[in-house]
Amino acid sequence: MIDIIPIDYGKSVLPESWIFENGAKNKFRPIIFRIYLLKTENRLILVDAGCETMPGFDMTDFIGPVKALNNIGISPDRITDLIITHAHHDHIECAKYFKNAVIYIQKDEYEAGKEYLVDNINIRTFDEEMLICGGIKAVKIGGHFKGSSIVEITDADKKYVIAGDECYMRDCLTRQIPTGISYNPEKSRAFIKKYGAGEYTVLLCHDE
């Protein structure tokens, strides 16, 4: 059994032009800053490290990921594995606090974000996908950023996907509109088509 626990640590807003392809620049939507904790029988796996600063954003209710984890009784040194979906600041900055974790990151994302990982010595890179443990694997999508990835979770007969920033809002899935911030729009559209079809329960990192 895999327990999936969302960890919210701050709020802000994004323009719809970031959220949706061809979205309005002057309309804003509230967003959450969220990481996920996956509990298995003998591992504590964190999906994304989160951030403790976010230049250019007006943050509210901001406590940071480390305090948010401490609030549920999890100290950073207990995290056994850390999956980084991509190397953008708000997903990787706090990797320095999880010194006991094995870090999994797609190889292009490692090159883009390795300055955030100088304190971490146990890093495993992958090209297309990597099995983390039974039922949990990281999979490259490459829509949002060059090597941006998702996490697929299979637990009994249920399938989940933690979307990283391949999708900001559930409206993207229900309306079949890809993100407005895309390195490769074709791959962003393919993500929405596949994971919005209903086979997976999609877990988002920024949707309230």
Side-chain angles (χ1 to χ4, degrees), residues 121-141:
I121 60 172
N122 201 346
I123 297 171
R124 299 181 187 176
T125 63
F126 63 94
D127 188 1
E128 295 300 321
E129 64 179 55
M130 177 171 277
L131 182 67
I132 311 304
C133 65
I136 300 172
K137 67 178 178 178
V139 179
K140 175 187 173 183
I141 299 296

Side-chain angles (χ1 to χ4, degrees), residues 3-201:
D3 290 332
I4 305 172
I5 303 169
I7 310 291
D8 295 353
Y9 64 91
K11 298 178 182 178
S12 191
V13 296
L14 278 185
E16 287 195 350
S17 59
W18 288 30
I19 297 167
F20 304 114
E21 188 176 58
N22 301 318
K25 294 181 179 179
N26 60 349
K27 289 184 67 176
F28 291 81
R29 292 205 180 193
I31 63 165
I32 288 285
F33 285 76
R34 175 182 296 134
I35 57 179
Y36 285 88
L37 179 66
L38 310 179
K39 285 186 175 183
T40 71
E41 185 177 354
N42 53 14
R43 296 167 86 161
L44 289 174
I45 302 168
L46 203 61
V47 180
D48 284 328
C51 62
E52 60 185 352
T53 62
M54 199 57 195
F57 282 70
D58 293 325
M59 303 295 290
T60 58
D61 299 328
F62 188 79
I63 60 173
V66 172
K67 184 175 181 182
L69 282 165
N70 283 329
N71 285 347
I72 62 167
I74 304 294
S75 61
D77 60 359
R78 290 182 58 198
I79 300 299
T80 59
D81 307 87
L82 171 61
I83 307 167
I84 301 293
T85 62
H86 62 293
H88 286 165
H89 179 84
D90 59 314
H91 291 257
I92 196 172
E93 184 191 17
C94 287
K96 59 191 174 184
Y97 293 114
F98 304 102
K99 297 184 184 298
N100 294 332
V102 178
I103 295 180
Y104 305 87
I105 184 169
Q106 198 277 340
K107 64 180 184 180
D108 293 316
E109 296 303 306
Y110 174 71
E111 291 301 320
K114 59 187 176 183
E115 74 269 19
Y116 290 102
L117 302 174
V118 294
D119 294 332
N120 305 95
I121 60 172
N122 201 346
I123 297 171
R124 299 181 187 176
T125 63
F126 63 94
D127 188 1
E128 295 300 321
E129 64 179 55
M130 177 171 277
L131 182 67
I132 311 304
C133 65
I136 300 172
K137 67 178 178 178
V139 179
K140 175 187 173 183
I141 299 296
H144 179 64
F145 204 39
K146 187 175 183 180
S148 55
S149 304
I150 60 172
V151 178
E152 290 186 359
I153 302 164
T154 304
D155 190 20
D157 59 347
K158 297 179 181 178
K159 292 184 177 181
Y160 304 88
V161 58
I162 298 174
D165 280 357
E166 297 300 336
C167 171
Y168 284 113
M169 294 280 169
R170 197 153 307 279
D171 277 356
C172 294
L173 298 165
T174 57
R175 296 165 60 187
Q176 290 284 288
I177 303 174
T179 177
I181 301 295
S182 181
Y183 174 87
N184 187 320
E186 182 179 347
K187 290 182 177 179
S188 291
R189 285 190 284 271
F191 171 85
I192 292 295
K193 183 177 181 180
K194 176 178 179 178
Y195 292 97
E199 181 181 1
Y200 291 83
T201 297

